[in-house]
Amino acid sequence: MLSKSEKALIAEIWERLAPVAEDIGSDALLRMFASYPGTKTYFAHLDISARSAHLLSHGKKIVLAIAEGAKDISQLTVTLAPLQTMHAYQLRIDPTNFKLFSHCMLVTLACHMGRDFTPVAHSAMDKFLSAFAAVLAEKYR
Amino acid sequence: MVEWTDFERATIQNLFSKMDYELVGPAALSRCLVVYPWTQRYFGNFGNLYNAEAITSNENVINHGKVVLHGLDRAVKNMDNIKDTYAELSLLHSEKLHVDPDNFRLLADCLTIVVASRMGSDFTGDVQAAFQKFLAVVVSSLGRQYH
């Protein structure tokens, strides 16, 4: 469960990160591909090498979607409805991978924010990303 | 037998030779207790764990954090036989301390995040992968004597 102050903290962090969505997103993806090579199977049709156009644009898309969800966390199901459909019927990414990506996103945030990624911020962010992933997988079955 | 590349060996030795145990150990353990509050179940006698500030400044948490991090030293020195190195510790955690082995993974994740926040961009994807592989072997070894 996210408290009011946690929701505000998350919204504030993502608002600050939205302008560098490309860097944050591509960094998290690269970390995921390095630590969990199985995740690369979903990108066989793209060039996902460091700083490639595909990687940057894909990373940007993901971060902007997360940032959008962060603006009003209580409305996640509404905000993510189109993405839910896409992931359930088109992409069909095994939801275990959402956990792997979330972990790598936390690492990216830790590298980017340093000491500002406090235990409280980490906890709130972990809860938010878990909720985000759960909503994203809701239409799977 | 775990196979380590030269890069992985060098990365692990390098990371731990530069590790500030006094800060990182306590930071990782306290972060685990904050982010995954159910892990507090094993520390009932540690005193005040009521909120993040209390946990982070708790003397028992600080001291234990250093103990736990130093616990990794033997694995760093015996990368080719981490399994046997931790047989006894695994027994201790299962038979005496009754710790759910899933908690080792949670602490490992928190340690990764703490190291990442200290190293910034030097904690590249490849360094992260090597560190996580090392921790995964440690975690697996600690879980081996559970029956």
Side-chain angles (χ1 to χ4, degrees):
Chain A
M1 272 177 7
L2 285 160
S3 69
K4 233 166 56 170
S5 66
E6 284 175 319
K7 286 185 190 174
L9 177 61
I10 291 162
E12 191 247 324
I13 290 175
W14 286 107
E15 201 188 314
R16 269 193 288 136
L17 293 175
V20 286
E22 237 180 29
D23 299 320
I24 298 292
S26 60
D27 188 69
L29 281 171
L30 269 178
R31 290 181 183 285
M32 186 180 71
F33 297 144
S35 278
Y36 312 108
T39 56
K40 290 194 284 186
T41 58
Y42 292 99
F43 296 87
H45 58 295
L46 297 177
D47 169 18
I48 49 171
S49 53
R51 308 307 297 176
S52 76
H54 286 155
L55 188 75
L56 291 171
S57 88
H58 208 77
K60 184 176 181 180
K61 240 189 282 190
I62 296 175
V63 167
L64 289 181
I66 297 175
E68 193 59 35
K71 286 184 189 157
D72 194 351
I73 295 174
S74 57
Q75 294 296 304
L76 263 184
T77 312
V78 173
T79 315
L80 292 180
L83 280 175
Q84 284 178 320
T85 308
M86 194 191 346
H87 282 76
Y89 298 110
Q90 261 183 275
L91 303 176
R92 288 174 294 187
I93 298 170
D94 189 318
T96 320
N97 296 291
F98 299 157
K99 282 205 187 92
L100 304 180
F101 181 73
S102 297
H103 170 71
C104 291
M105 178 55 77
L106 292 176
V107 176
T108 295
L109 293 176
C111 291
H112 189 83
M113 294 170 63
R115 309 178 69 142
D116 286 347
F117 197 56
T118 62
V120 169
H122 174 174
S123 174
M125 195 57 73
D126 192 22
K127 289 195 277 184
F128 168 62
L129 292 177
S130 304
F132 194 97
V135 170
L136 205 54
E138 257 174 18
K139 290 184 179 152
Y140 271 56
R141 55 177 177 173
Chain B
M1 251 276 291
V2 182
E3 283 184 25
W4 304 100
T5 64
D6 289 341
F7 173 80
E8 287 165 346
R9 283 185 198 275
T11 299
I12 297 306
Q13 297 305 315
N14 188 37
L15 277 175
F16 280 89
S17 72
K18 296 210 205 109
M19 186 83 75
D20 187 341
Y21 286 79
E22 304 289 291
L23 286 178
V24 173
L29 181 60
S30 58
R31 188 168 285 251
C32 190
L33 296 171
V34 170
V35 177
Y36 309 111
W38 54 91
T39 56
Q40 292 169 27
R41 73 190 303 283
Y42 301 106
F43 301 97
N45 59 342
F46 267 32
N48 185 2
L49 298 178
Y50 192 58
N51 54 37
E53 300 90 81
I55 292 170
T56 322
S57 58
N58 184 306
E59 281 290 318
N60 288 317
V61 173
I62 293 171
N63 292 331
H64 198 66
K66 296 177 198 175
V67 167
V68 167
L69 189 57
H70 275 294
L72 291 177
D73 288 341
R74 276 189 291 156
V76 176
K77 296 196 178 90
N78 290 293
M79 283 178 69
D80 289 317
N81 200 2
I82 294 178
K83 191 172 67 174
D84 288 342
T85 304
Y86 283 134
E88 228 182 279
L89 258 183
S90 178
L91 262 174
L92 173 78
H93 283 78
S94 78
E95 306 280 292
K96 197 160 166 267
L97 304 175
H98 307 294
V99 177
D100 181 342
D102 211 47
N103 292 289
F104 306 145
R105 201 182 37 84
L106 300 180
L107 181 58
D109 283 350
C110 286
L111 181 58
T112 302
I113 301 262
V114 170
V115 171
S117 71
R118 289 174 66 81
M119 288 180 68
S121 54
D122 284 345
F123 196 65
T124 63
D126 290 335
V127 169
Q128 177 187 345
F131 192 57
Q132 289 189 175
K133 177 174 168 179
F134 172 75
L135 290 178
V137 175
V138 169
V139 164
S140 165
S141 305
L142 281 174
R144 279 201 111 240
Q145 303 301 328
Y146 280 70
H147 303 290

